[in-house]
Amino acid sequence: MARPNLLFIMSDDHAAHAIGAYGSVINETPHLDRIAADGMLFDNCFCTNSICTPSRAAVLTGTYNHVNRVTTLKTHMDNSLVTFPKLLRAAGYQTAMVGKWHLGHGPEHDPTGFDFWRVLPGQGHYHNPVMLQGRMDGRPGYDVVERGGYVTELITDDCIDWLDRTEPNRPWMLMMHHKAPHRTWEPSRKHFSLYDDVEIPEPDTMFDDHETRAAVVQAMEMRLMDLDPIIDLKAEVPAGLDHQAEVKWRYQRYIKDYLRTIASIDDSVGQMLDYLDATGQADDTVVVYTSDQGFFLGDHGWFDKRLMYEESLQMPFLIRYPKLIEGASLHEGMVLNVDFAPTFCELAGVEVPAEMQGTSFVPLLAGESPESWRTSMYYRYWMHRDENHNVPAHYGVRTLTHKLICYYNDPLGQTGANGPIDPMEWELFDLEADPLETTNVYGRPEYASAQAALKGELVRLQAEVGDDPYVAS
Ligand code: CA
């Protein structure tokens, strides 16, 4: 089989439950759904750390964050690490990276492994964004590109321009990284008034009271009531609303802009698919759509991500490649962001290097469900009670049926709503009986054996990936 091209489209904070193919009840994404209709939808694709910069490092390197050392938003990637773009480029691929990089800037952090890169500085801006373009003449550093326009459309134009310049006889790999739908959720002019006259359905758990949950989870500042001043709601809260009415108002206020920025992404995906059709490359190109992690869309009363709960843990993953993948197929195998790099290597006919910890899921793309495939995954969020959201550091294990989370809090004598917080807290969810994760059953006698097995699995997974359990200092 000839080596395929790879169009890797990754957005920022796009939760699966805001994609039509995943059953969204809050928006429509006809072009994203085309990838699912012609390819495969993964229903259990998870990130190993639900935060932007670390997930990007895991995608590029195929390693967990304690190995690539990009554990938090404040750590940047060492660009001398082995990444799949470098390997594909060395194997003859034409490679490019356009859009949000978010892994640091400067000689040690700028993108490497690309013939062409043009990226947003840091988070970048939605409107009239400057971009940084690597100098491709051997000089170090980058030039600043200044233009007017909307970020999702500019990234799309840049991607098509680059594809127009590729040589026809060598395969290409393009990383198209959208800024949207990351906050501060500024739509394009085209979508300013989309959803003006509709009420977006609320999630079932919007008024979750967090009873039974860890005290550090109850103390988080990630509720819809915490949206501002983190986010400018661009409106005064109407006078006279009671608490419930204000939560509902805040939800509508933010979710509409979030979905408007996704509408532009969907348009962009349509443009890219049309481009592949028009240039006769659709059959020879692997198209992937994913996001660096999920997002709470008012679920549990929260916005943002970070936690190991399903809405945040799940990454959308749609993939199309007619030569290998059956159309309109669904795979429930558990795949992780660390698996992407080895999978792309195998698709490109490149040997997967020993450094990569993930596993190629090419057999799953072919419709197989190997008996030896993983039935559990390891997760770790490292940022402890950061200034914006007060989310505690934690690690845990998710199996096909359960989830165990350990909040290994620093014993700082913290105080939660119900008094001092224990230095270590646990949550256990029965995903079959309680798929929305509203009841923490940790410590309940009927779960004693499941709990012990999960603790054993957590230890086993930590040893397998080479991470160390937290030890209080
Ligand atoms: Ca993100």
Side-chain angles (χ1 to χ4, degrees):
M1 199 183 315
R3 296 184 299 172
N5 305 312
L6 172 59
L7 172 59
F8 177 79
I9 309 173
M10 184 163 73
S11 57
D12 194 340
D13 293 5
H14 189 176
H17 51 315
I19 293 178
Y22 278 90
S24 171
V25 294
I26 59 173
N27 66 335
E28 292 177 355
T29 53
H31 298 299
L32 284 164
D33 299 352
R34 282 165 64 187
I35 306 177
D38 297 339
M40 185 174 273
L41 179 151
F42 279 84
D43 212 17
N44 289 297
C45 179
F46 301 122
C47 58
T48 50
N49 179 2
S50 181
I51 193 78
C52 312
T53 304
S55 183
R56 285 153 197 274
V59 166
L60 282 166
T61 62
T63 60
Y64 289 79
N65 294 140
H66 62 278
V67 171
N68 58 49
R69 302 190 303 282
V70 185
T71 50
T72 72
L73 284 175
K74 293 189 173 124
T75 48
H76 295 146
M77 196 174 92
D78 171 355
N79 63 11
S80 69
L81 293 174
V82 172
T83 64
F84 82 85
K86 285 182 193 176
L87 297 169
L88 267 58
R89 190 184 192 204
Y93 269 71
Q94 306 170 79
T95 59
M97 155 79 223
V98 177
K100 187 166 181 183
W101 173 243
H102 207 210
L103 286 159
H105 300 292
E108 294 170 4
H109 309 300
D110 282 334
T112 47
F114 301 102
D115 300 318
F116 173 81
W117 57 267
R118 181 182 282 186
V119 300
L120 295 162
Q123 297 282 7
H125 290 280
Y126 274 102
H127 292 278
N128 303 341
V130 298
M131 293 181 78
L132 313 177
Q133 180 173 320
R135 294 174 178 143
M136 298 304 146
D137 56 5
R139 289 177 301 146
Y142 45 75
D143 297 312
V144 176
V145 179
E146 287 191 57
R147 305 170 283 180
Y150 183 66
V151 68
T152 305
E153 295 164 8
L154 293 173
I155 287 170
T156 308
D157 292 345
D158 287 345
C159 284
I160 287 175
D161 283 349
W162 182 75
L163 288 174
D164 278 340
R165 298 198 302 273
T166 54
E167 299 168 19
N169 298 323
R170 279 200 295 143
W172 50 262
M173 189 285 291
L174 170 59
M175 302 189 83
M176 180 180 197
H177 286 197
H178 287 297
K179 168 184 174 59
H182 194 275
R183 68 196 193 202
T184 51
W185 309 308
E186 295 170 28
S188 74
R189 185 175 296 274
K190 180 181 170 192
H191 299 114
F192 272 166
S193 51
L194 183 65
Y195 307 120
D196 264 0
D197 303 321
V198 296
E199 190 158 321
I200 308 294
E202 296 166 357
D204 291 343
T205 58
M206 196 157 89
F207 292 98
D208 184 347
D209 60 10
H210 303 156
E211 203 182 325
T212 73
R213 247 55 63 74
V216 275
V217 170
Q218 295 184 22
M220 290 188 332
E221 292 160 10
M222 214 163 76
R223 291 177 170 87
L224 293 168
M225 293 300 279
D226 301 314
L227 265 168
D228 53 348
I230 296 172
I231 308 298
D232 180 1
L233 291 169
K234 291 169 269 185
E236 294 293 323
V237 179
L241 298 184
D242 62 16
H243 174 80
Q244 185 167 340
E246 183 173 341
V247 168
K248 286 170 169 282
W249 177 84
R250 285 166 176 270
Y251 170 73
Q252 295 296 328
R253 192 74 209 154
Y254 109 85
I255 200 71
K256 286 184 179 180
D257 274 344
Y258 176 87
L259 296 177
R260 286 166 183 142
T261 69
I262 289 171
S264 285
I265 290 181
D266 194 59
D267 287 350
S268 165
V269 168
Q271 261 182 280
M272 298 307 289
L273 297 179
D274 289 347
Y275 178 87
L276 295 177
D277 287 341
T279 54
Q281 299 182 87
D283 286 347
D284 302 313
T285 302
V286 177
V287 178
V288 171
Y289 183 82
T290 188
S291 170
D292 56 353
Q293 9 68 210
F295 209 75
F296 293 106
L297 306 179
D299 311 281
H300 304 284
W302 292 321
F303 67 101
D304 215 76
K305 55 263 184 179
R306 301 161 196 267
L307 279 194
M308 200 186 162
Y309 285 38
E310 292 293 276
E311 296 87 350
S312 156
L313 181 70
Q314 184 181 12
M315 305 166 83
F317 194 91
L318 305 172
I319 182 166
R320 183 184 86 172
Y321 181 32
K323 289 184 174 167
L324 177 67
I325 302 170
E326 187 95 12
S329 52
L330 162 75
H331 210 298
E332 295 186 326
M334 199 185 276
V335 298
L336 310 177
N337 56 358
V338 293
D339 298 332
F340 296 2
T343 300
F344 299 153
C345 284
E346 185 175 348
L347 285 169
V350 170
E351 191 176 346
V352 179
E355 288 99 318
M356 290 187 181
Q357 296 178 290
T359 306
S360 165
F361 53 90
V362 167
L364 281 61
L365 300 179
E368 297 169 21
S369 297
E371 274 190 29
S372 58
W373 195 254
R374 74 166 67 79
T375 55
S376 65
M377 56 87 59
Y378 177 63
Y379 178 89
R380 184 166 186 173
Y381 174 77
W382 297 72
M383 292 164 63
H384 186 56
R385 289 165 58 96
D386 67 308
E387 63 270 25
N388 276 335
H389 303 284
N390 204 32
V391 174
H394 54 287
Y395 47 61
V397 53
R398 188 203 191 281
T399 66
L400 302 178
T401 54
H402 292 82
K403 187 183 292 175
L404 178 75
I405 311 173
C406 175
Y407 301 95
Y408 53 90
N409 314 309
D410 288 310
L412 297 176
Q414 304 151 19
T415 302
N418 301 314
I421 292 174
D422 285 340
M424 186 173 276
E425 294 183 283
W426 298 83
E427 288 180 341
L428 171 59
F429 295 104
D430 179 342
L431 299 176
E432 288 181 322
D434 177 29
L436 297 180
E437 300 170 307
T438 57
T439 306
N440 172 20
V441 296
Y442 184 83
R444 293 192 183 179
E446 64 270 34
Y447 284 96
S449 65
Q451 185 174 305
L454 286 160
K455 284 194 175 179
E457 184 62 7
L458 178 59
V459 169
R460 189 192 73 77
L461 284 171
Q462 279 186 323
E464 183 178 281
V465 304
D467 196 14
D468 297 319
Y470 176 78
V471 179
S473 51

